[in-house]
Amino acid sequence: MTTVHSRVVEVCAFRMQGEFPEYLLLRRAPTEPIYPGLWQIITGTIEGEERATDAALRELREETGQVPEQLWVVPYTNAFYDHGRDAVSLIPFFAARYSPAVQVHLSAEHAAHAWLAFAPARERLVWPGQRAGLDIVHHSIVGGEDAPHLIAIPR
């Protein structure tokens, strides 16, 4: 029987350059066994009994070497069917704001990073669910209209 699980988190990281947002994308190392060379937002596995919010903050530290200024719960859950496990995977989605001067220090899992404007970032993402999450972050959090009403998580 098909199961449902939640073992992964995704975080759309951004910074403001004046009035303009830039979104952080990471390129998976060519030696990675899954999706080598793929551009993605910050993605990682929930460990043990870890809360999704704690996993998001840990993944941000592991994959960027930095702690964000602010973290939000995005009103969106990415989902996909994992045929190998015969399971539907539900992925909590977060947004993280960094300072404009942040220096990214990549983990060995990634070979490159890029801070991109909305349209180029959206074009570079392969997965429709990550593009949908980016859309929500861009319009509802970065755009500011919904940010005050969404859950901001203390660091």
Side-chain angles (χ1 to χ4, degrees), residues 10-75:
E10 292 179 327
V11 186
C12 180
F14 68 94
R15 67 182 183 185
M16 298 300 294
Q17 294 293 6
E19 296 179 27
F20 302 101
E22 292 181 329
Y23 297 93
L24 178 63
L25 297 187
L26 306 178
R27 187 170 191 183
R28 293 180 61 81
T31 55
E32 283 296 304
I34 299 174
Y35 309 122
L38 180 88
W39 285 94
Q40 63 181 156
I41 61 171
I42 294 166
T43 304
T45 304
I46 297 171
E47 296 179 352
E49 297 298 314
E50 188 175 43
R51 293 171 45 95
T53 53
D54 295 332
L57 285 168
R58 178 183 47 74
E59 287 293 335
L60 285 163
R61 284 189 308 273
E62 288 177 4
E63 295 190 7
T64 69
Q66 303 295 333
V67 176
E69 293 179 335
Q70 187 68 57
L71 182 73
W72 289 269
V73 175
V74 176

Side-chain angles (χ1 to χ4, degrees), residues 4-12 41-46 50-57 59 71-80 88-95 129-130 133 136-137 153:
V4 176
H5 64 89
S6 184
R7 297 182 178 143
V8 174
V9 295
E10 292 179 327
V11 186
C12 180
I41 61 171
I42 294 166
T43 304
T45 304
I46 297 171
E50 188 175 43
R51 293 171 45 95
T53 53
D54 295 332
L57 285 168
E59 287 293 335
L71 182 73
W72 289 269
V73 175
V74 176
Y76 171 69
T77 303
N78 195 354
F80 70 93
V88 174
S89 182
L90 300 177
I91 305 168
F93 205 93
F94 300 90
Q130 289 190 355
I136 293 168
V137 170
I153 300 162

Side-chain angles (χ1 to χ4, degrees), residues 124-145:
R124 200 171 286 190
L125 290 171
V126 172
W127 304 115
Q130 289 190 355
R131 288 193 300 269
L134 173 65
D135 291 347
I136 293 168
V137 170
H138 183 70
H139 297 292
S140 296
I141 295 176
V142 175
E145 61 208 45

